[in-house]
Amino acid sequence: MSIGRDEAILELLRETNGFVSTQDLSQRLGVPPTLVPDEIEALRQQGYGILLRPESGYRLTMVPDRLLPFELRYRLETSIIGRRIVVYEQTTSTMDVAHQLAQAGEPQGTCVLAESQTGGRGRLGRRWSSPVGDGIYLSLILRPPLSSCAAPQVTLLAAVSVALSIRAITEIPVQVKWPNDIVVQGKKVCGILTEMRLDDTQGRYLVVGIGVNVNTSRDRLLDGATSLRVECGEIVSRIDLCRRLLQQFDEQYAVLIDRSFRPIAELWETFSSISGGHVRVDLQDRVLEGQAVGIDQDGALLVRCDHGVVERVVAGDVVRVR
Ligand code: BTN
């Protein structure tokens, strides 16, 4: 993949543990030394801290927590997920953009992100609040082979990937709640929305949308929601989290395609907030109560009802009652 000038400067600044001279930068970029200050200024405009010491050169002092494609790609070693990353300052919904791209033939793995969404959406037509710079709002295009492309399985795979990535960079006791939530002590910190459609060639594809409340302050959160910042008491790097998430998703997706859903289901169970507990499931037309005994090979929730029969639940809102 060819890289831009911004990326080339940053690479050189990062690989040098100290100052980089104007001469070295000019050589690496293939531009005259007189143009180097303009290139540096362009990076400062994007929020990078770059110190200039006239006798030694430039040094990188700060990386902004903005979801810039080349920051996300930095040391990202994925084989499918994030091969192409598209970032919008603002869009209606990353789901819409991802569907447009997919319908025009975009290959799987492309990741669409936005710093804010004006029409972020969740399950059952709910709104997903997407304030600028506070969260991660991303959608991934997937084209899994027919045998392994059940949307519910991919939703649970996404939940496991989010939980693993949060656990990797914070100490927060994160849990997954069937079917599409990541919670901390019962409060929602992330939601997942998986949509399946046909593209123009009638190829089936999925768009998996993930919204994480990362640095949202307490006063901006809805009832029943929380953010990573509220839970750990400090700002969390969205770049680090997002990079880890893409990495984890890539690994779990390879497991799903090359092996089976079973290892993902087992991992999911280790994070589950409801397994073994007594749950109430709102199925729109009736309410089901019983013990959550696990998930099956399709990602459906298994509930042992009070009269002993195990019911398979494929959609519904679940609350743990004890
Ligand atoms: C839910 O909890 O109901 C799912 C919420 C999914 C939100 C994400 S944010 C990125 C992507 N774009 C959207 O409009 N929705 C998903």
Side-chain angles (χ1 to χ4, degrees):
M1 189 189 301
S2 72
I3 63 171
R5 276 190 192 157
D6 288 354
E7 212 166 344
I9 298 179
L10 289 166
E11 233 175 60
L12 189 54
L13 291 174
R14 277 183 165 127
E15 74 197 30
T16 314
N17 204 3
F19 287 85
V20 181
S21 69
T22 303
Q23 199 54 40
D24 284 350
L25 280 165
S26 117
Q27 261 171 19
R28 170 72 72 104
L29 297 179
V31 300
T34 48
L35 290 187
V36 169
D38 293 344
E39 303 287 345
I40 294 287
E41 193 45 40
L43 281 170
R44 288 191 179 128
Q45 292 297 325
Q46 294 182 58
Y48 287 91
I50 302 173
L51 181 72
L52 169 63
R53 203 180 272 165
E55 69 281 10
S56 347
Y58 295 95
R59 180 179 193 159
L60 185 64
T61 55
M62 210 252 310
V63 175
D65 194 32
R66 291 187 54 212
L67 301 170
L68 300 164
F70 51 79
E71 283 302 332
L72 291 165
R73 275 200 302 268
Y74 181 63
R75 294 197 177 151
L76 182 70
E77 283 160 14
T78 56
S79 50
I80 295 179
I81 305 300
R83 277 194 298 211
R84 189 159 98 90
I85 297 176
V86 186
V87 183
Y88 289 78
E89 275 305 304
Q90 186 175 74
T91 185
T92 50
S93 158
T94 54
M95 301 302 280
D96 298 340
V97 179
H99 280 301
Q100 278 158 16
L101 289 172
Q103 274 165 17
E106 185 76 17
Q108 71 167 341
T110 293
C111 172
V112 180
L113 284 137
E115 288 284 359
S116 75
Q117 303 182 111
T118 52
R121 61 173 183 266
R123 270 172 72 236
L124 310 171
R126 292 173 190 144
R127 212 180 132 259
W128 185 261
S129 159
S130 317
V132 61
D134 277 354
I136 293 176
Y137 319 117
L138 75 81
S139 295
L140 288 170
I141 299 172
L142 299 178
R143 297 182 185 275
L146 276 181
S147 57
S148 55
C149 76
Q153 296 178 334
V154 171
T155 302
L156 300 185
L157 181 158
V160 164
S161 308
V162 174
L164 286 169
S165 49
I166 292 177
R167 196 172 69 181
I169 65 163
T170 73
E171 312 247 297
I172 297 172
V174 71
Q175 292 186 302
V176 296
K177 180 170 158 259
W178 190 90
N180 71 321
D181 291 352
I182 310 295
V183 296
V184 183
Q185 307 198 17
K187 291 191 164 186
K188 181 159 170 168
V189 76
C190 165
I192 295 158
L193 175 68
T194 305
E195 296 176 338
M196 191 179 71
R197 305 244 173 107
L198 293 175
D199 67 17
D200 290 348
T201 62
Q202 300 298 291
R204 203 153 66 122
Y205 72 88
L206 298 175
V207 171
V208 185
I210 302 176
V212 191
N213 300 330
V214 184
N215 290 320
T216 324
S217 56
R218 201 182 293 273
D219 54 311
R220 301 181 75 165
L221 287 162
L222 303 175
D223 272 358
T226 189
S227 71
L228 299 181
R229 174 182 168 187
V230 165
E231 294 303 321
C232 66
E234 59 188 11
I235 297 279
V236 172
S237 162
R238 291 182 308 149
I239 285 283
D240 281 356
L241 181 63
C242 196
R243 223 189 265 131
R244 294 227 184 218
L245 173 54
L246 298 178
Q247 199 88 43
Q248 278 299 342
F249 203 112
D250 195 68
E251 283 171 29
Q252 302 305 327
Y253 191 56
V255 171
L256 178 69
I257 303 301
D258 301 343
R259 289 167 63 197
S260 70
F261 178 61
R262 192 48 21 218
I264 294 159
E266 283 165 11
L267 207 44
W268 188 92
E269 293 279 358
T270 67
F271 281 108
S272 171
S273 64
I274 55 170
S275 289
H278 200 87
V279 293
R280 182 178 303 127
V281 192
D282 183 354
L283 297 171
Q284 311 284 351
D285 59 339
R286 70 194 165 104
V287 173
L288 187 75
E289 276 206 25
Q291 190 191 14
V293 288
I295 48 173
D296 71 7
Q297 74 280 4
D298 301 320
L301 180 69
L302 302 174
V303 179
R304 183 179 297 116
C305 300
D306 297 339
H307 44 81
V309 175
V310 175
E311 290 218 31
R312 256 184 106 245
V313 180
V314 291
D317 276 333
V318 181
V319 191
R320 184 175 180 146
V321 284
R322 56 176 192 270

